[in-house]
Amino acid sequence: MTRLLRRHVGAIRHSGIDRVSLEYGRWTRERGGHLCLRRPTGLRHLSAPAWDRLLLGGLQPGPARHSNLSRTALLLRSLVFRRPIPRGATVLVTTHSWLGHRTAWNWLNRRGCRVVVFIHDLIPVQFPEYSHPREKRLHTLRMRHTLQHAKGIIVNSHCTEGALRRFAGEHGLTAPPILVNPLGHDLP
């Protein structure tokens, strides 16, 4: 939820990645799971009802709907100490925001957490001309860390699965189990 919170507090338009993260967040909460936020000291629970209301209920396409005051209050509450996620927890990561941070992976590994990562695509690696110049290097690092540390990976298509397996082979890495799970849609 780190990326969603950062974009929400900053009144930044929500992207396709954010919409997928939002739906996985709702799915998790509906099943009694916890949302978490990455802090420099590790992953922390976001369990207050306000988080559900502001993050999961309040995110709509376009700029954030809340006033600057409520966004600031939300940010301040995110900086307050929250309990860390439990040792041995299973963590579903739906965005690439922190996948390139070795310290986050080390913290999760020390706590015995099982991390499953949703990979949206490898576009910054495959087609760097469509990304910010630094994104190829950053996304390469994210994919390397994910392949080295994740216990499982979810991808949205066989195309993404193939790209990830090729990337793993090109970098001498072995992919953990990969599940192809196409994104849902609402049809009339």
Side-chain angles (χ1 to χ4, degrees):
M1 295 288 104
T2 307
R3 176 184 163 111
L4 283 174
L5 176 65
R6 188 173 59 241
R7 294 176 76 84
H8 188 69
V9 168
I12 300 170
R13 281 188 156 314
H14 302 109
S15 70
I17 289 173
D18 299 321
R19 300 293 297 171
V20 171
S21 294
L22 172 62
E23 291 308 318
Y24 271 108
R26 287 182 177 146
W27 180 87
T28 298
R29 291 300 290 145
E30 287 168 2
R31 286 155 182 79
H34 297 281
L35 304 180
C36 60
L37 174 71
R38 181 182 165 270
R39 302 297 308 140
T41 55
L43 296 184
R44 304 288 178 189
H45 272 289
L46 299 176
S47 56
W51 292 108
D52 291 349
R53 188 174 62 256
L54 290 173
L55 280 177
L56 301 182
L59 288 183
Q60 302 296 327
R65 294 179 0 190
H66 302 287
S67 70
N68 287 337
L69 182 60
S70 66
R71 286 195 306 270
T72 301
L74 184 61
L75 176 61
L76 290 174
R77 288 190 0 225
S78 75
L79 299 174
V80 174
F81 176 82
R82 302 274 183 206
R83 64 186 163 95
I85 61 171
R87 292 184 179 279
T90 298
V91 178
L92 173 61
V93 180
T94 60
T95 183
H96 60 260
S97 296
W98 59 263
L99 297 178
H101 295 270
R102 184 175 298 280
T103 55
W105 286 107
N106 290 343
W107 186 86
L108 288 161
N109 288 337
R110 280 193 311 273
R111 295 184 67 81
C113 294
R114 297 171 306 278
V115 180
V116 177
V117 177
F118 186 97
I119 300 295
H120 297 262
D121 58 54
L122 277 76
I123 289 174
V125 175
Q126 294 177 290
F127 306 101
E129 63 271 23
Y130 296 112
S131 300
H132 189 280
R134 70 172 187 240
E135 280 301 307
K136 180 176 182 178
R137 179 183 54 79
L138 292 174
H139 211 60
T140 296
L141 184 61
R142 294 172 189 132
M143 296 304 103
R144 288 182 62 86
H145 284 318
T146 297
L147 289 164
Q148 291 167 341
H149 299 287
K151 300 298 183 210
I153 296 174
I154 302 170
V155 295
N156 57 9
S157 68
H158 291 287
C159 182
T160 302
E161 176 191 25
L164 187 60
R165 289 191 187 282
R166 281 189 299 282
F167 178 94
E170 292 166 2
H171 290 86
L173 299 169
T174 302
I178 298 175
L179 170 68
V180 178
N181 188 30
L183 297 176
H185 51 79
D186 294 326
L187 295 175

